[in-house]
Amino acid sequence: MEFSFPSYQLSPLYHYLLPSPALFSNQLLPENHVNWTQTLEAHVYSADLPGVRREEIKVEVEDSRYLIIRTEAIDDSTKPAMDFKRKFRLPGSIDIDGISAKYEDGVLTVTVPRTFRRGGFYIDPADVPDRVEVLARAA
């Protein structure tokens, strides 16, 4: 299953209808989006971040519930190639310590592995009494 979180970029048709392209240039609108794919083993988030250096990318987990992907300047004198910040609510059954990220050819891929826990319990047949007594009658 794959979901795409679109950007808020106007379609090319609107550029012909707007009075001045200088008022609504493409540079003011984000052009990137994040794809979310879930497999049996993990949730995979991938974002196109062309021109951004590896040191400028920050991937964080907040309160064990939110995944935050953003760009940040390395020092006060520089600015990242693009401003980017997305925040996603993480699903319930995940392994937070197993989250990994890789950045290749301008594409950041964050893998959030799932954990499989059985919520049931086991009743040992030896613990079940031979006779069950009724303590209260149903009305």
Side-chain angles (χ1 to χ4, degrees), residues 50-88:
V52 177
R53 297 189 325 216
R54 182 183 313 265
E55 299 85 26
E56 297 173 337
I57 299 172
K58 302 293 180 196
V59 177
E60 301 169 330
V61 176
E62 178 181 280
D63 297 332
S64 299
R65 292 186 178 191
Y66 299 100
L67 174 70
I68 300 172
I69 303 170
R70 63 186 170 105
T71 57
E72 184 179 82
I74 298 170
D75 54 23
D76 294 335
S77 63
T78 62
K79 184 178 176 187
M82 68 173 14
D83 289 328
F84 181 86
K85 182 175 181 179
R86 300 289 187 277
K87 185 174 184 177
F88 302 97

Side-chain angles (χ1 to χ4, degrees), residues 7-91:
S7 64
Y8 296 100
Q9 182 178 4
L10 296 173
S11 79
L13 175 65
Y14 288 110
H15 294 290
Y16 296 110
L17 301 176
L18 294 174
S20 171
L23 295 175
F24 299 99
S25 69
N26 282 340
Q27 296 174 351
L28 297 177
L29 302 171
E31 295 180 359
N32 49 7
H33 63 275
V34 177
N35 286 330
W36 171 53
T37 306
Q38 66 179 357
T39 64
L40 292 175
E41 295 83 26
H43 299 272
V44 180
Y45 299 86
S46 61
D48 294 327
L49 301 172
V52 177
R53 297 189 325 216
R54 182 183 313 265
E55 299 85 26
E56 297 173 337
I57 299 172
K58 302 293 180 196
V59 177
E60 301 169 330
V61 176
E62 178 181 280
D63 297 332
S64 299
R65 292 186 178 191
Y66 299 100
L67 174 70
I68 300 172
I69 303 170
R70 63 186 170 105
T71 57
E72 184 179 82
I74 298 170
D75 54 23
D76 294 335
S77 63
T78 62
K79 184 178 176 187
M82 68 173 14
D83 289 328
F84 181 86
K85 182 175 181 179
R86 300 289 187 277
K87 185 174 184 177
F88 302 97
R89 181 165 171 93
L90 292 170

